[in-house]
Amino acid sequence: MLEGRLAQKHDHADLSNQGAAVQKNSPDALPAMVQRAADALLAAKDSAEVLEARDLARVVYDAAKSTARMARAKKAHDSLVAEVHRAQANALAIRARAEMRLAEEYDAAQERGEVAGHGATSGGRGNQHGKVEDHNVSTAADLGLRRDEIYEARQFRDAEREEPGTIQRAIDNMVERGEEPTRAALRREVAKPKPQKVMDPKALWIWGRLKDFERDGILSADPDHLLSEMTEPMRADVKRLLPLVRDFIENMEVRA
């Protein structure tokens, strides 16, 4: 069951105080905070602990974002800004991974009827599966999750399913380009249409010629008649090329 513990009060004051302390101190404190968030997610055994790890990563992300802004305002060296951006990127990746896990568990809980469906409110729980009594069905708000967060988490999860590693690559590419790794930028990267693969013209050509054999009735034609209609040079080309074409077609057949 998606634990009711998700609805418990998180110690946000403690997390916020840690983030404020990071902002006041040297950026050197950021890696330790990132590591704590990563360890929390790795050790998370239920949804409540995943949510705690997500919240910790969010605090670290906000602290790094603020630290980078102050560093730029003070015209800090580019290497320092890059270091802070890397910590921000790591926190963003941890948060994304946590949210993908939450999306998986949330959707599974919906399938079990433990969480209300889309559009449900506390007055109308939307327990369309009927496996759990309505008064025991939670909504996203009950669990401390916003609908837009669930939507984005599903986007990240689906992108990762389609192309494993896409979230981390998108974040790494932002850092390599010298850009600030922000949540908004990650959303844009994930939503960006994937470039269509350009087909090798030779593949299209061979497919078309094979279809021509079928479409133009060549497969049912009399070979003797076709050869008799050709000139002597044409028949010589056919005799020379047919063994090569046969070998090529047989190789394609084995691999098809």
Side-chain angles (χ1 to χ4, degrees), residues 35-244:
Q35 189 61 52
R36 179 181 169 188
D39 291 345
L41 180 59
L42 186 63
K45 296 182 177 61
D46 57 40
S47 300
E49 292 178 353
V50 173
L51 191 59
E52 289 285 358
R54 189 281 307 266
D55 287 349
L56 180 54
R58 179 188 286 171
V59 169
V60 181
Y61 169 85
D62 290 341
K65 189 177 179 70
S66 178
T67 301
R69 186 166 52 247
M70 289 188 292
R72 287 192 299 269
K74 295 178 180 178
K75 301 188 184 304
H77 195 277
D78 289 346
S79 61
L80 176 59
V81 176
E83 180 184 338
V84 175
H85 279 174
R86 173 47 66 185
Q88 184 176 336
N90 290 337
L92 180 60
I94 295 166
R95 177 179 174 182
R97 291 200 303 271
E99 289 175 342
M100 285 189 283
R101 280 183 60 178
L102 288 172
E104 287 287 345
E105 297 192 23
Y106 183 86
D107 287 350
Q110 275 194 329
E111 286 296 318
R112 295 191 299 269
E114 297 166 3
V115 175
H118 179 69
T121 63
S122 57
R125 312 303 281 186
N127 182 18
Q128 68 273 35
H129 298 283
K131 299 175 185 176
V132 180
E133 293 183 13
D134 279 351
H135 66 273
N136 288 327
V137 176
S138 301
T139 65
D142 293 335
L143 303 173
L145 297 170
R146 299 198 314 267
R147 289 287 179 187
D148 62 315
E149 290 177 329
I150 297 170
Y151 174 76
E152 286 181 7
R154 286 168 173 159
Q155 282 189 312
F156 293 160
R157 177 200 61 193
D158 294 344
E160 195 70 17
R161 281 178 177 174
E162 183 178 341
E163 190 178 340
T166 190
I167 300 298
Q168 189 62 56
R169 281 194 299 273
I171 294 172
D172 289 342
N173 288 340
M174 284 184 253
V175 175
E176 289 174 8
R177 292 192 299 263
E179 301 170 3
E180 182 181 6
T182 66
R183 174 87 172 176
L186 180 58
R187 284 198 301 268
R188 288 193 297 270
E189 287 289 326
V190 170
K192 188 184 299 182
K194 300 291 186 298
Q196 294 294 318
K197 180 182 178 182
V198 178
M199 182 182 294
D200 187 330
K202 293 177 182 177
L204 183 61
W205 186 91
I206 190 66
W207 170 77
R209 300 298 72 76
L210 289 172
K211 290 291 290 183
D212 285 345
F213 271 83
E214 180 182 52
R215 182 169 46 242
D216 296 339
I218 305 300
L219 294 174
S220 59
D222 180 5
D224 289 335
H225 171 69
L226 295 178
L227 287 169
S228 69
E229 292 292 311
M230 296 180 188
T231 65
E232 195 63 37
M234 290 169 65
R235 285 196 295 273
D237 283 338
V238 169
K239 186 174 182 179
R240 175 177 61 85
L241 292 172
L242 272 180
L244 301 176

